Amino acid sequence: MSDGLEGVVAADTVLSDVDGQAGRLIIRGQSLDELAGRATYEEVMRLLWDGFFDDLPAELAPALGAARLDVFAEVSALDTGLLDRTPIEAVRALTARLADGDDLAVALRLTAAPAVFTAAVVRAQAGEAPIRPDPGLSHAADTMRMLRGKAPSRAEADALDTYLVTVSDHGLNASTFAARVIASTRAGLTSAVLGGISALKGPLHGGAPGPVIEMLDDIGRPENARAWIENALEHGERLMGFGHRVYRVRDPRADALKAAVRRLTEASDIMPGRLAFAEAVEAAALAILKERKPNRPLDTNVEFYTALLLEALAYPPSAFTCVFATGRVAGWIAHAREQLVGGRLIRPQSHYIGPLPLRAA
Ligand code: ACO
């Protein structure tokens, strides 16, 4: 058996292809280079969902804006018990209040949910009231406006759009696989998305970017990087933002997001010097990983520059995974629909290695 199902092909899909040797990501026939920084999140939703819903409108932005308003009603369920939880747990709990189903209306509400709930949770944890969505804005611009209470600059909205597009789909990653397994039982899209959120929150998957900021803050200065990293590895820790199950070269999303951070910092005076510092830490980490694991290519993954980008957009690190879910939800839904339309119940077998009964029955 393959440990961690490495190398196992578990589904046919038209949605995305991750080429780990070439470092290439294709989303529905288009390379990430063609989409990141060029397409809007709504356009990529359309690309992913095309053919999986009969009634898909030509323009998804108004329908998604209306869905944001619709799910905003659930924010009133945020109570003190939920506010003590991590943002991703609170977002998951609010998402669980949405009705299950398989149609476009359910899909739109689920796509709106992480954007609306993340903003409300972050604000409530800071003692601030939630902000009602503006259905006339783009999803990226409204996502940021609901967080801050004022419209983002064009450069900020573009940066978030680039992020949401970049993480919208990525083959059969752990959260997408979880979503497909749940969809295969015909439990409904809400159940599939809740499974996706639950898998995403782990630090080996979508929970990594928050700890990247902790690492950068702890290192503090470029000259401390080598000693800090060596000490972490000697204590058996993993460097967050490095390594990948499929990529044996650099994750192409890392460069798409680094370019977005560069555009954002050039368009404003946000965090001058932070990008150069992060690049120095990255270079030290790559050199040390190469020295210590010469037989296992370990390169930068999507989470390293995710952390820089979301930090520049003033998201608290505790909410980074929620923003990841805000982008990935369109992919989970597309995979769930693909599974539902063309797939069977996913039910593999296990290999029993436990004890046998002492006496045969
Ligand atoms: N830092 C240090 N060592 C690492 C790292 C890392 N980030 N990643 C892998 N390794 C080492 C392992 O310790 C192992 O060494 P060993 O063979 O001497 O024991 C070797 O590389 C192979 O590691 P595996 O665990 O087999 O790799 P796997 O494919 O299971 O893990 C994963 C991939 C989970 C992403 C891993 O690289 C990791 O933990 N990275 C840090 C967390 C992270 O950044 N997660 C986000 C991934 S991107 C995403 O999901 C959106």
Side-chain angles (χ1 to χ4, degrees), residues 204-205 238-243 245 293 296 298 301 324:
L204 298 190
H205 189 13
R238 289 183 175 212
L239 300 181
M240 293 293 134
F242 297 91
R245 171 61 61 80
K293 309 270 177 199
R296 168 78 182 193
L298 293 169
N301 68 42
F324 195 161

Side-chain angles (χ1 to χ4, degrees), residues 259-274:
V261 177
R262 199 178 295 287
R263 285 195 294 273
L264 185 59
T265 45
E266 281 169 2
S268 59
D269 58 357
I270 301 171
M271 305 195 314
R274 186 70 160 166

Side-chain angles (χ1 to χ4, degrees), residues 15-16 25-28 30 32 35-36 39-49 111 160-171 173 175-176 253 257 302 323-335:
L15 294 168
S16 58
L25 168 62
I26 295 173
I27 298 179
R28 214 101 199 247
Q30 302 201 33
L32 180 63
L35 294 171
T40 64
Y41 186 62
E42 289 87 335
E43 286 165 348
V44 171
M45 271 173 74
R46 195 166 206 299
L47 187 67
L48 286 167
W49 292 7
T111 309
L160 185 64
D161 228 346
T162 301
Y163 173 73
L164 298 177
V165 165
T166 300
V167 301
S168 60
D169 200 38
H170 200 241
N173 59 86
S175 57
T176 300
R253 299 169 300 173
L257 296 182
V302 63
V323 194
F324 195 161
T326 304
R328 182 55 59 83
V329 66
W332 290 332
I333 290 170
H335 277 270

